[in-house]
Amino acid sequence: MSDDQQRKGRGTVFVKEEVCKGCSYCIDFCPTHALEFAREFNAKGYHYPVLGRPDDCTGCDNCGLYCPDFAIYGARWKDIDEKKKAK
Amino acid sequence: MHADPKGVLTGVHFIDGDHAACEGALAAGCRFVAGYPITPSTEIVERFAHRIPKVGGVFIQMEDELAASIAIQGAVWGGQKVMNVTSGPGLSLMMEHLGYAFITETPCVWIDVQRCGPSTGMPTGPAQHDMMQVKWGSHGDFQIIALCPNSPQECFDFTIRAFNMAETWRVPVFLMMDEVVGHMTERVDIPEASEIEVVERKWTKKKPGEYKVYETTPEDPVPEMVKAGDGYRIHVTGLTHNEKGYPDMTVPNQERMLGRLIGKITQNAHKLVDVREDGVEGADVVVVSYGITSRVAMAAVEQARAKGAKVGSARLVIAWPFPAERMKEIARTAKVFVVPEMNMGQMVQEVERAVAGAAKVVSVPHAGGSVHEVDTILNAIMEAAR
Amino acid sequence: MSLLMDQSAEELECGMDNPVLPFLRKDRIPHIWCPGCGIGTTVNSFCRALGDSGMDLDKIAIVSGIGCTGRTAGYLNLDSFHTTHGRAIPFATGLKLANPDLKVVVYSGDGDLTAIGGNHFMHAARRNMDIMVVCINNFTYGMTGGQVAPTTPLGPTQTTMPFGNFESSFNLPFLADACGAVYVARWTVYHVRQLAKAMKEGLQKKGFVFIEAMAPCPTLYSRRNRLGDGVDQVKYFKERSTIKNGVDTKDVGLTYQGDIVVGKFVDRDRPTWMDSMNDHFGKVLGDKYETYGAHHG
């Protein structure tokens, strides 16, 4: 995500689309209901999550804690920026 | 390398085969036993429980044989040399873990002090009933090595040999004792530790990252080993696996893995077989025997010779792998094989298979509970020599 | 070779990676578990616990039995052992006693640990063997196609209870408590943070630790009994769970889709098997006895 891209919310999610099995844990247990199923599906035929309401994402990583497939995690922008700097 | 003096009770002893086997294990470096009592093997673990606190190691009595036979394997991957001690009914319970030890290449020694079966049978009665069970009893294809001592001294010596073979080949190695050998008291000489050769585990010199738990070369089919806790992050499974130890359940990999595992023994059988022969050359009759029966058989052979019969003795010190090639060679000159066993006829089938009609094969079965009468074997020899 | 779990271009740019990846065998993902299966979530919590514990991962070994949960060992980037059905605990016992440096974790399913492995479970708890046992309870035999388990509550249909289960089930925390476990907790796949915390506490606790994690089996339990999908079971866990730390374990039995008591029920101390052995031999044998495992850390 480039710096000039307009940032919404306090954080974002990273999704490994091809590992997702579409269980919807992350969507149903997102505290701010920021996630939704993608219209597209992956190679295995599963709809994976996308950040439908980026304004609402706090980067809390609740999705990451719930994901049974290690396919998604969340992070706060300030932590991402620190990582970027450290890189 | 030489034995650790801590475990070696150097000196002359008057002990039974069970006790001698325990001393053999201690001399070989066995420092972990998970046991479960069963007649007539219990004295081995009793002695181990008594000796090990002062040697430095662990004995634990488990809740059953299933637990005992897998706890020892956990201990191997924790870095210890181990043995598994039991008799018929316990051995039946342990069969799944025999296969696990084979497929995971967990070096371990299994002592079976054989008693009369089937089922509970005669717990205190000697037998050689499990010769086929150790070869075929676990499901799937596998290979083992089995040694057959006929005296307390050999219980000591062969236990050390069994440990060394287990480390060399990474297969389960059996000590096929029986109630008589186990409970017979004789002189046992335990040498100095410096006179006892002990094979160290085949530890890898590779670093984490370079090492694969089941990597082998065409020249050496036995993989190098590590233990848990050394940073290698190994994976070990009873599933069909690849060199990394990861499950790989494909037909080509099954063939590759099982081919190597079986080949470790079948392709090296000539290095492993051990037949102790006496007067086989030029003999018309050859008595094939093993374990305690070989001592009774030798008495019969000597009496038959006194009666003028041309008789030889071929004692199977190692029953598995079976010395089929040697039997074939003997069949070129011998006319009859006489095979006394304390069972209804088990190893005799191997003799028949190896000889393949080139000579007559006579079984001298015994249901067990005592050793053969010398006369029973003598009569069979004289009948064969006619 | 590129892997599905390799960093994406986006992650590379930000220097980000999934925080659980250091604890997983990346080359074995995706795992075999069904969509909506809860086992993966418990593994996720376990990864967090490994990280939070600050322990040396080279000194943690994981042992599994057979079954869906039994596959866990193969996914964790630890020394890992996938053993035989029901025998993870005795294997772990041997491993721990042979190398006391190790923290040994048994990670297996309810059928593996409490049916075929029930005897070992009882005795390891009785001995206070220093191992941590994580039991993923999905109330069924998943790998073999949904047969009745010792944990299946009265009522639901299973392939070997085609007219509904009429057998009473185990109350696992009560069983562990009665047998002598020093730490007993139950959480569900809904309680990811609490589960991770319990696992971290378990890793740091000496003695027989038992953690039950209730998980959905959507394929063979939920759908067969018209309970919806995995996520619907997790919602049930959320709605019907009450946290009661320290409650008497005899009162935490489970019923079919009924109320669930979760929490840390037992946290006590008593000597482990190895400590007892060393203490006893030290007393009885005196100087002749060299404390076992003393050269270890």
Side-chain angles (χ1 to χ4, degrees):
Chain A
M1 230 156 279
S2 58
D3 288 335
D4 52 0
Q5 188 177 343
Q6 196 185 353
R7 285 180 177 184
K8 295 174 174 178
R10 279 186 284 148
T12 190
V13 295
F14 296 86
V15 182
K16 288 267 193 304
E17 293 157 12
E18 292 307 322
V19 187
C20 176
K21 292 177 187 157
C23 70
S24 98
Y25 280 22
C26 57
I27 295 169
D28 283 62
F29 297 112
C30 173
T32 61
H33 309 288
L35 293 164
E36 62 189 33
F37 277 123
R39 293 162 69 91
E40 298 76 24
F41 41 82
N42 64 18
K44 298 271 185 195
Y46 298 115
H47 293 282
Y48 48 86
V50 290
L51 198 52
R53 287 164 290 279
D55 289 347
D56 296 337
C57 182
T58 63
C60 71
D61 193 35
N62 215 47
C63 49
L65 289 168
Y66 274 97
C67 182
D69 294 284
F70 323 110
I72 187 171
Y73 62 95
R76 295 189 167 84
W77 286 120
K78 65 177 175 63
D79 295 333
I80 296 170
D81 288 339
E82 262 174 46
K83 279 267 162 94
K84 247 187 182 172
K85 248 184 252 165
K87 200 157 74 88
Chain B
M1 61 183 279
H2 301 304
D4 172 7
K6 243 182 170 177
V8 182
L9 210 61
T10 303
V12 178
H13 303 269
F14 191 57
I15 52 177
D16 72 18
D18 280 355
H19 287 251
C22 176
E23 290 304 327
L26 288 165
C30 176
R31 296 293 180 268
F32 181 92
V33 170
Y36 190 79
I38 186 166
T39 306
S41 74
T42 312
E43 290 87 340
I44 301 176
V45 293
E46 285 175 338
R47 189 177 179 107
F48 195 87
H50 193 257
R51 290 264 285 127
I52 198 65
K54 289 168 229 166
V55 173
V58 175
F59 172 75
I60 181 169
Q61 183 174 313
M62 298 302 287
E63 51 275 13
D64 56 31
E65 283 95 343
L66 301 158
S69 56
I70 195 75
I72 57 151
Q73 300 192 39
V76 170
W77 290 97
Q80 297 282 18
K81 285 189 179 180
V82 305
M83 69 172 167
N84 191 27
V85 179
T86 194
S87 186
L91 186 67
S92 293
L93 290 176
M94 291 169 169
M95 277 295 127
E96 185 181 7
H97 292 150
L98 177 57
Y100 189 78
F102 178 73
I103 199 172
T104 58
E105 300 179 75
T106 301
C108 46
V109 170
W110 295 47
I111 299 185
D112 177 15
V113 188
Q114 296 172 88
R115 64 189 234 187
C116 291
S119 190
T120 315
M122 302 209 298
T124 59
Q128 295 173 320
H129 279 201
D130 308 338
M131 299 306 295
M132 286 292 170
Q133 187 185 15
V134 297
K135 178 71 169 104
W136 304 109
S138 191
H139 61 277
D141 251 322
F142 65 96
Q143 291 284 332
I144 52 110
I145 299 170
L147 297 105
C148 306
N150 72 6
S151 67
Q153 181 68 53
E154 285 190 353
C155 288
F156 175 82
D157 296 338
F158 288 11
T159 301
I160 297 171
R161 199 169 160 192
F163 272 92
N164 289 346
M165 289 175 134
E167 297 299 337
T168 304
W169 299 102
R170 290 184 64 178
V171 295
V173 179
F174 278 87
L175 198 73
M176 300 304 288
M177 292 169 57
D178 63 78
E179 189 276 335
V180 172
V181 164
H183 286 160
M184 172 168 58
T185 299
E186 284 185 335
R187 175 185 166 131
V188 174
D189 287 303
I190 300 184
E192 298 283 342
S194 60
E195 292 164 30
I196 300 172
E197 273 305 312
V198 165
V199 174
E200 180 57 2
R201 188 151 294 165
K202 196 173 171 182
W203 300 116
T204 191
K205 290 184 181 70
K206 290 181 181 151
K207 295 188 178 71
E210 299 169 359
Y211 171 81
K212 287 181 190 156
V213 67
Y214 293 117
E215 189 171 34
T216 54
T217 60
E219 298 76 43
D220 185 358
V222 183
E224 294 174 340
M225 218 168 158
V226 297
K227 68 176 197 289
D230 286 352
Y232 290 85
R233 312 278 183 95
I234 51 170
H235 183 58
V236 173
T237 176
L239 290 168
T240 295
H241 46 261
N242 60 23
E243 290 185 329
K244 281 177 100 172
Y246 289 1
D248 181 354
M249 290 168 280
T250 57
V251 175
N253 188 57
Q254 166 72 4
E255 196 178 340
R256 187 163 49 236
M257 181 201 72
L258 195 57
R260 178 178 66 77
L261 291 179
I262 296 287
K264 281 199 296 188
I265 299 305
T266 56
Q267 287 167 22
N268 293 290
H270 59 285
K271 296 179 197 163
L272 292 162
V273 291
D274 186 351
V275 184
R276 219 153 279 182
E277 296 177 16
D278 185 313
V280 167
E281 302 300 326
D284 294 330
V285 179
V286 172
V287 178
V288 178
S289 62
Y290 54 92
I292 192 64
T293 309
S294 64
R295 286 173 73 162
V296 186
M298 205 56 220
V301 166
E302 277 160 15
Q303 289 185 24
R305 282 174 183 162
K307 288 172 188 273
K310 283 183 178 170
V311 196
S313 165
R315 178 192 161 204
L316 309 179
V317 165
I318 288 184
W320 303 114
F322 184 76
E325 289 307 315
R326 183 59 194 142
M327 291 297 133
K328 247 178 237 168
E329 284 166 18
I330 296 173
R332 285 192 205 124
T333 52
K335 295 185 181 71
V336 188
F337 287 78
V338 171
V339 189
E341 306 177 78
M342 269 197 290
N343 56 48
M344 301 310 281
Q346 294 190 12
M347 296 306 289
V348 67
Q349 297 173 48
E350 283 299 297
V351 179
E352 282 170 349
R353 196 174 62 82
V355 168
K360 195 177 164 193
V361 179
V362 177
S363 173
V364 187
H366 186 319
S370 71
V371 295
H372 285 77
E373 294 289 338
V374 176
D375 280 353
T376 309
I377 302 173
L378 177 64
N379 291 343
I381 296 170
M382 295 314 291
E383 179 72 19
R386 269 204 306 178
Chain C
M1 197 180 69
S2 72
L3 302 167
L4 283 181
M5 295 307 281
D6 283 344
Q7 278 174 300
S8 64
E10 187 189 6
E11 286 176 316
L12 277 168
E13 193 196 320
C14 303
M16 296 295 290
D17 210 355
N18 192 323
V20 297
L21 279 186
F23 311 103
L24 296 170
R25 295 185 191 271
K26 212 162 89 162
D27 52 353
R28 295 220 58 224
I29 307 291
H31 54 57
I32 62 158
W33 297 314
C34 298
C37 169
I39 300 170
T41 301
T42 70
V43 173
N44 195 322
S45 293
F46 184 64
C47 292
R48 316 276 168 163
L50 288 171
D52 294 345
S53 74
M55 293 163 78
D56 179 358
L57 299 185
D58 285 344
K59 298 295 176 196
I60 302 176
I62 184 154
V63 184
S64 291
I66 296 296
C68 292
T69 311
R71 290 301 191 90
T72 301
Y75 297 120
L76 285 161
N77 187 20
L78 303 169
D79 283 319
S80 54
F81 300 92
H82 180 221
T83 65
T84 54
H85 197 18
R87 320 300 167 202
I89 288 176
F91 185 99
T93 297
L95 185 61
K96 172 68 189 178
L97 294 180
N99 187 353
D101 274 358
L102 296 171
K103 181 74 205 182
V104 179
V105 180
V106 168
Y107 209 110
S108 218
D110 48 306
D112 187 74
L113 286 168
T114 70
I116 187 167
N119 197 27
H120 313 308
F121 180 86
M122 292 193 316
H123 289 279
R126 170 180 68 80
R127 295 183 183 112
N128 198 24
M129 198 50 68
D130 187 12
I131 55 177
M132 164 172 158
V133 176
V134 179
C135 175
I136 309 307
N137 183 2
N138 59 9
F139 315 102
T140 192
Y141 281 82
M143 190 67 92
T144 46
Q147 293 76 35
V148 70
T151 47
T152 310
L154 289 173
T157 297
Q158 297 283 266
T159 60
T160 48
M161 280 289 182
F163 308 105
N165 179 31
F166 55 82
E167 261 189 30
S168 296
S169 61
F170 266 141
N171 169 352
L172 295 180
F174 186 39
L175 178 67
D177 184 5
C179 293
V182 293
Y183 183 104
V184 180
R186 173 197 282 151
W187 297 101
T188 79
V189 161
Y190 173 70
H191 302 88
V192 283
R193 286 192 169 84
Q194 293 96 326
L195 180 60
K197 183 169 174 249
M199 287 168 161
K200 179 190 158 197
E201 286 179 3
L203 285 167
Q204 293 167 339
K205 179 95 186 169
K206 207 171 170 188
F208 189 88
V209 169
F210 178 68
I211 298 169
E212 176 185 7
M214 291 168 63
C217 173
T219 310
L220 295 155
Y221 185 82
S222 306
R223 266 184 237 148
R224 178 161 288 146
N225 289 290
R226 298 195 168 81
L227 300 172
D229 234 322
V231 73
D232 299 303
Q233 271 300 84
V234 185
K235 284 179 189 163
Y236 149 66
F237 295 157
K238 176 186 178 182
E239 282 152 20
R240 301 293 291 271
S241 292
T242 313
I243 299 173
K244 289 184 184 171
N245 293 318
V247 73
D248 192 328
T249 53
K250 78 176 189 302
D251 299 325
V252 305
L254 298 168
T255 56
Y256 186 44
Q257 299 302 99
D259 289 334
I260 302 163
V261 179
V262 293
K264 178 163 77 175
F265 307 133
V266 175
D267 191 352
R268 61 191 165 202
D269 292 300
R270 66 187 185 96
T272 65
W273 188 91
M274 212 174 84
D275 288 345
S276 300
M277 175 183 79
N278 277 327
D279 288 351
H280 185 70
F281 286 160
K283 274 184 210 138
V284 175
L285 303 171
D287 293 343
K288 277 180 270 178
Y289 184 66
E290 190 184 309
T291 303
Y292 180 77
H295 59 287
H296 297 283

